[in-house]
């Protein structure tokens, strides 16, 4: 979420029309999975950045540490989840945190 906000702010600082900018958070179920989706119309990423974005210490930010998405991926993996990334440079990014639904019976 913070990456999305910062990406939109960066694009706005470059002169983008504020009416075209957003960060959208959605939570839904799909095919037996629960999904938390964050979509923005910020800077987007190219193919190489998409491949590297969850690597520890990879960052495109001057003040970044490159640990946010690496830690997110680790937490998801520890909880039987996964991170799906879709992005187009200069246009948008969508991050989906996907979890298998667990049947807790009659708890």
């Amino acid at each position: 979420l913070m990456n999305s906000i910062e990406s939109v702010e960066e694009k706005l600082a470059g002169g983008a029309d504020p009416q075209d900018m957003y960060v959208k958070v959605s939570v839904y179920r799909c095919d037996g999975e629960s999904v938390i989706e964050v979509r923005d119309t910020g800077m987007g990423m190219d193919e190489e950045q998409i491949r590297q974005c969850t690597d520890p210490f990879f960052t495109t930010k001057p003040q970044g540490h490159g640990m946010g998405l690496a830690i997110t991926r680790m937490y998801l993996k520890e909880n039987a989840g996964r991170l799906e990334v879709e992005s187009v440079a200069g246009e948008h990014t969508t991050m989906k945190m996907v979890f298998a639904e667990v049947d807790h019976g009659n708890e």
Side-chain angles (χ1 to χ4, degrees):
L1 187 55
M2 289 304 301
N3 286 343
S4 287
I5 292 167
E6 290 170 0
S7 182
V8 166
E9 288 174 343
E10 182 180 349
K11 198 167 179 181
L12 285 169
D17 184 347
Q19 291 191 351
D20 295 332
M21 306 305 299
Y22 65 82
V23 174
K24 179 181 177 184
V25 179
S26 303
V27 179
Y28 56 91
R29 290 180 173 161
C30 182
D31 298 326
E33 297 178 314
S34 295
V35 181
I36 302 169
E37 178 179 297
V38 180
R39 181 176 175 84
D40 68 65
T41 52
M43 300 300 293
M45 294 182 282
D46 62 30
E47 290 295 322
E48 185 64 25
Q49 291 169 326
I50 293 169
R51 278 192 292 280
Q52 294 179 335
C53 72
T54 59
D55 292 348
F57 308 111
F58 175 78
T59 184
T60 60
K61 301 174 190 173
Q63 303 299 324
H65 298 289
M67 293 304 293
L69 290 176
I71 291 170
T72 299
R73 184 182 66 176
M74 180 188 70
Y75 286 154
L76 287 165
K77 189 174 182 178
E78 288 175 357
N79 290 282
R82 67 183 185 278
L83 183 65
E84 296 179 1
V85 181
E86 187 267 318
S87 189
V88 175
E91 293 185 19
H92 63 85
T93 298
T94 301
M95 296 276 182
K96 294 181 183 179
M97 294 168 278
V98 183
F99 300 90
E101 291 186 359
V102 178
D103 182 8
H104 293 287
N106 294 333
E107 289 184 37

